[in-house]
Amino acid sequence: MINLRSTPRHRRSVTALLLVSLALAGGCKEVLGTPGASGPSGDTGIGSSGPEAPTDTAPADPSVTPSAPGTSATPSTPGKPTTPSAGTVPPTASGGWITIDAAAQAAATKAFFARKPKPVTGNPVKVPEFNVGCKTSHHNSDDPIVLPKLVGGSHNHTFWGNRSTDANSTAESLRASKATTCNSPDDQSAYWVPTMYQNGKVVDPTEVTVYYGSRLKDPSRTQPFPFGLRMITGNAKNQVDTPDKQGNHFWCAGIGGEIGRSADKTFPVCAKTANIVRQITFPDCWDGRHLDSPDHKAHMANGDHTGACPKSHPVPVPSVSFVISYPLSANTDGITLASGTSFSMHADFFNAWKDEALAARVRNCLDQGVKCNSAGNF
């Protein structure tokens, strides 16, 4: 069973001017946010609204989540209420904040919790979780979250999921592209990390499992993220280990596990029956109002010390976790990432799940606290 509780909490706000200067420098420079601050800049393909800045107060209804903007409601299944998509008001962009329509968000949330969960059958593991298995799709030096429309503006990334992902990708373009390298055709999301090299040669993952779970004490109020939500975790600028030596580490999975360290001590040496693995986990609390924020992090947060979402980010959403397996074991010298050392590992997620499919998995699996497979079945 994968432990979904091991994610560092880093965030630091960044100004639009800094993002422009970083783009001109030719690199994808995700930066950390400050707890409770706002997050990423990003292109939604939609015009800007007025200059009004977001407030730090929680939304009136802390359990509101919208569905796809600009689309019609998902047809209902007999016995199930319709899950409405966002209404006539599209998301608006201002200063890096992508704001969704609050009324449509509230309606979607109400419809979601009106769904009757599928009765649990069999004897599933009592862990709130479902997953998709994915293969590498492609590589490019684009980042549609941090450096939208800047073709070749970032360090190189390894993508999986949606095959169309590039610098010009938007939520709408991802939804329009049906080709995915994940084992659920309902998942049209885009996922990416910095490309790994060994002595200058690309090393692709043999497989990636994307887990959707909950690390909160009570997962029963978890709801789907809205269509088009995007976020990053990790810091491309971080080139050294954390002071407590506990952050951003690769490890060995398989029989024999770790048997030593690489010459530079940054990577494990694995037994021949094991592979190098990296797990990267995103926050599972959302502010309920924004698809993105200036640093691409501040609209998201981790649960607090009580195991609940903080008041600043009151909406529980699935915790996304990448488990990436690389075909490296005993020979781990000369490994670098496109962003630098192993400690610069970071990850991006751009949600383009089909609304009904994601809602069914969250309601049936996460809200009932049971483990489902990639098809969303017990």
Side-chain angles (χ1 to χ4, degrees):
M1 184 186 305
I2 299 297
N3 178 7
L4 296 178
R5 296 180 177 273
S6 58
T7 178
R9 184 178 180 178
H10 316 296
R11 289 177 300 184
R12 176 167 58 85
S13 59
V14 62
T15 65
L17 179 60
L18 178 56
L19 287 178
V20 172
S21 64
L22 290 175
L24 293 175
C28 160
K29 304 297 184 182
E30 294 89 337
V31 294
L32 298 179
T34 306
S38 23
S41 77
D43 174 41
T44 59
I46 299 171
S48 297
S49 65
E52 179 178 292
T55 65
D56 290 331
T57 58
D61 181 353
S63 61
V64 288
T65 304
S67 296
T71 62
S72 59
T74 304
S76 60
T77 303
K80 293 182 181 179
T82 296
T83 301
S85 296
T88 57
V89 181
T92 56
S94 180
W97 291 95
I98 311 300
T99 305
I100 58 176
D101 176 36
Q105 175 184 342
T109 296
K110 183 178 179 180
F112 172 75
F113 284 111
R115 296 176 66 103
K116 184 177 181 180
K118 183 170 67 174
V120 177
T121 57
N123 187 28
V125 176
K126 301 298 184 181
V127 173
E129 178 184 288
F130 63 92
N131 66 74
V132 290
C134 307
K135 297 290 187 182
T136 299
S137 171
H138 60 285
H139 309 85
N140 61 42
S141 296
D142 294 352
D143 191 322
I145 294 179
V146 177
L147 298 170
K149 299 190 182 302
L150 291 177
V151 177
S154 76
H155 52 249
N156 197 261
H157 287 112
T158 296
F159 294 82
W160 60 88
N162 200 301
R163 289 185 179 275
S164 72
T165 314
D166 61 20
N168 294 306
S169 292
T170 64
E172 291 75 18
S173 73
L174 294 175
R175 177 64 62 84
S177 174
K178 300 184 184 305
T180 177
T181 63
C182 297
N183 62 359
S184 173
D186 293 322
D187 181 13
Q188 296 165 253
S189 303
Y191 311 92
W192 63 97
V193 295
T195 297
M196 177 183 282
Y197 301 95
Q198 186 173 35
N199 300 318
K201 183 179 180 180
V202 171
V203 179
D204 277 335
T206 51
E207 61 180 346
V208 181
T209 304
V210 180
Y211 289 91
Y212 290 82
S214 176
R215 296 166 297 143
L216 302 176
K217 186 175 181 180
D218 176 14
S220 67
R221 299 302 293 175
T222 303
Q223 59 190 70
F225 357 75
F227 170 62
L229 182 134
R230 62 214 73 175
M231 57 180 166
I232 64 174
T233 188
N235 184 359
K237 296 178 69 176
N238 187 32
Q239 301 295 323
V240 297
D241 201 355
T242 56
D244 62 5
K245 307 298 183 185
Q246 297 300 308
N248 222 355
H249 289 171
F250 287 78
W251 46 283
C252 298
I255 298 172
E258 181 177 331
I259 59 174
R261 302 296 295 179
S262 60
D264 62 6
K265 307 300 182 185
T266 60
F267 279 90
V269 173
C270 307
K272 292 182 178 180
T273 48
N275 288 327
I276 282 188
V277 170
R278 181 69 174 87
Q279 181 176 354
I280 311 169
T281 305
F282 293 79
D284 49 2
C285 296
W286 175 48
D287 70 4
R289 294 170 294 168
H290 302 101
L291 297 177
D292 205 350
S293 49
D295 67 355
H296 317 290
K297 294 183 177 184
H299 57 308
M300 305 299 298
N302 291 303
D304 62 22
H305 66 283
T306 69
C309 286
K311 291 181 178 179
S312 60
H313 297 74
V315 184
V317 292
S319 172
V320 182
S321 183
F322 302 167
V323 178
I324 312 168
S325 178
Y326 293 92
L328 298 170
S329 54
N331 178 16
T332 56
D333 287 336
I335 299 176
T336 58
L337 300 176
S339 50
T341 71
S342 64
F343 307 112
S344 69
M345 176 58 92
H346 54 285
D348 299 60
F349 167 64
F350 202 140
N351 175 45
W353 272 88
K354 293 180 180 177
D355 299 329
E356 174 63 25
L358 179 61
R361 286 165 169 80
V362 174
R363 194 70 172 133
N364 296 337
C365 310
L366 304 192
D367 288 359
Q368 296 192 102
V370 295
K371 184 179 179 70
C372 294
N373 60 21
S374 296
N377 298 320
F378 304 124

